Amino acid sequence: FMFVNYSNQTGNANHWHLDYVELNVKRKFNDSIINDVAICEVQNSLLRDYYQLPWKQLKAMPGNPFMDTAWVTVNNLDNVPKNFIYNFSCKGSANDRFVFNWNRNTAVFNNINTTFSFPSSASVLSALTPVNDTVIINVDWSYYISGDVNTKNDSVRHTQLFANYMAQDDGTAEGGYGIENTKSGKVANKFTVFAADSLWAVGVFFNQSYLDVRNKPFTLTIWKSITTGTNNDVVLKSIPVHGPVYLETMNGFATFILDTPLWLEPGDYYIGWVQNADFVLNVGVDLNYAQDHGFKPNTGVYYNVQKKWIQTFSNTGALMI
């Protein structure tokens, strides 16, 4: 046997996933019932507006920085309901100590995807006292069912990293973003600094799909402010770039180091690019962001193609900057 997929050449616009192929003797065409409950989807990040943050920034955020609920989706592949115990926990990797733990006994119905929600993990903030800038929290989803034939899909771990960068995306591209049909344009992505800090580098993932524009120059730009409905903005730093940098690694980010770091006081800042020719730069887009945020438009993305800044209301993903 073989598996065949027909696609075109637009790269990550053509994802497909072959999942759960069971090989066994004496199987028949209608043999579709399996005594297994499998995790098929989990929440990507516990944070509301960012995928990853420095711990210093997290501590300075007003209110609860975590999602109200965390969730996991399981699929019962059997033809009868199953009673099972499911668990959600957060554990600090430095001392392997639980900072949050929650479990419940319930039922999952047959041949249907079921999503279970868990209370917020805001207690992580007070439970951990890091001794350095990097904090790692291991977030585990797991469950137990008696007689389950495949235990390898009964648990998933997500590593919530707090390091030296801010990111709204999860580091994987499911699409791309750019502007076209204009000889001059700008794109900006808003970041909020909650505690004064230094900005010394910007990482960007450039999509290797659609068109090869590696020889098209642009200007990586950091703005202090932009005013929607006008062409007004305040530039903090402009970095001329000869063209996008394509790395021969999966989801590899090109890093642009500032010649002099910028000291940023708390407030909103905007990072993006300016181009003076008609081409699609094609910066990666994380579409998982949309699912974690109720498929609402990402209001932190702005573009300027007719000498007027516009807050985009169509892009539901996160730019990979």
Side-chain angles (χ1 to χ4, degrees):
F1 61 91
M2 68 176 177
F3 302 102
V4 178
N5 180 57
Y6 294 92
S7 181
N8 55 38
Q9 297 181 355
T10 53
N12 54 25
N14 289 274
H15 287 175
W16 61 288
H17 186 192
L18 182 66
D19 189 23
Y20 213 122
V21 178
E22 183 182 13
L23 306 178
N24 207 347
V25 297
K26 298 181 180 180
R27 295 201 65 204
K28 294 184 174 65
F29 176 79
N30 60 353
D31 181 10
S32 60
I33 304 303
I34 304 172
N35 184 18
D36 187 23
V37 176
I39 292 178
C40 54
E41 204 163 14
V42 296
Q43 187 168 323
N44 291 299
S45 176
L46 298 180
L47 300 177
R48 289 181 183 274
D49 300 315
Y50 291 90
Y51 189 80
Q52 290 177 336
L53 280 172
W55 188 260
K56 174 182 178 180
Q57 298 296 325
L58 179 79
K59 293 284 286 186
M61 290 181 70
N64 177 16
F66 293 94
M67 293 280 198
D68 292 332
T69 58
W71 54 265
V72 60
T73 301
V74 300
N75 189 10
N76 181 6
L77 302 175
D78 206 346
N79 60 350
V80 294
K82 299 286 186 180
N83 290 317
F84 76 127
I85 300 172
Y86 64 106
N87 178 269
F88 167 68
S89 66
C90 300
K91 184 183 292 186
S93 62
N95 52 16
D96 204 35
R97 179 168 59 92
F98 278 110
V99 294
F100 186 85
N101 192 48
W102 192 85
N103 60 75
R104 177 169 292 181
N105 196 340
T106 189
V108 58
F109 296 99
N110 49 305
N111 285 311
I112 188 171
N113 286 358
T114 306
T115 299
F116 299 98
S117 296
F118 306 86
S120 171
S121 54
S123 58
V124 170
L125 276 175
S126 58
L128 289 179
T129 53
V131 296
N132 52 40
D133 290 338
T134 301
V135 177
I136 298 175
I137 298 175
N138 292 318
V139 183
D140 292 292
W141 291 266
S142 62
Y143 60 84
Y144 171 76
I145 298 178
S146 177
D148 194 76
V149 298
N150 185 9
T151 59
K152 293 182 179 179
N153 56 22
D154 293 357
S155 62
V156 173
R157 167 167 289 185
H158 163 67
T159 300
Q160 188 79 49
L161 174 67
F162 301 92
N164 65 342
Y165 62 95
M166 307 176 74
Q168 295 170 347
D169 64 278
D170 66 1
T172 63
E174 289 81 39
Y177 186 94
I179 51 178
E180 58 184 344
N181 300 323
T182 179
K183 292 185 177 180
S184 62
K186 308 174 186 179
V187 175
N189 194 77
K190 184 172 77 172
F191 293 88
T192 301
V193 174
F194 303 99
D197 215 330
S198 57
L199 173 64
W200 62 273
V202 176
V204 183
F205 172 75
F206 297 102
N207 240 355
Q208 295 192 65
S209 64
Y210 191 53
L211 296 175
D212 185 348
V213 294
R214 72 183 71 213
N215 295 319
K216 299 289 187 179
F218 64 95
T219 303
L220 189 67
T221 308
I222 302 166
W223 292 271
K224 174 62 183 80
S225 65
I226 61 177
T227 304
T228 57
T230 74
N231 196 34
N232 298 333
D233 53 48
V234 177
V235 176
L236 286 179
K237 189 77 172 181
S238 296
I239 306 171
V241 181
H242 296 299
V245 180
Y246 298 133
L247 302 177
E248 296 302 321
T249 57
M250 184 69 73
N251 294 308
F253 279 73
T255 302
F256 301 92
I257 300 177
L258 279 62
D259 52 6
T260 303
L262 292 175
W263 182 254
L264 304 182
E265 295 294 335
D268 294 334
Y269 298 88
Y270 303 83
I271 301 177
W273 69 90
V274 176
Q275 60 188 71
N276 294 309
D278 183 7
F279 65 93
V280 178
L281 189 61
N282 205 8
V283 170
V285 173
D286 163 34
L287 294 179
N288 291 322
Y289 176 93
Q291 177 168 287
D292 285 344
H293 293 80
F295 295 95
K296 298 177 182 178
N298 183 354
T299 57
V301 180
Y302 301 77
Y303 67 94
N304 185 332
V305 294
Q306 294 179 327
K307 297 189 181 302
K308 183 171 68 173
W309 281 105
I310 297 174
Q311 187 178 25
T312 177
F313 290 101
S314 58
N315 177 44
T316 57
L319 295 188
M320 295 176 65
I321 298 176

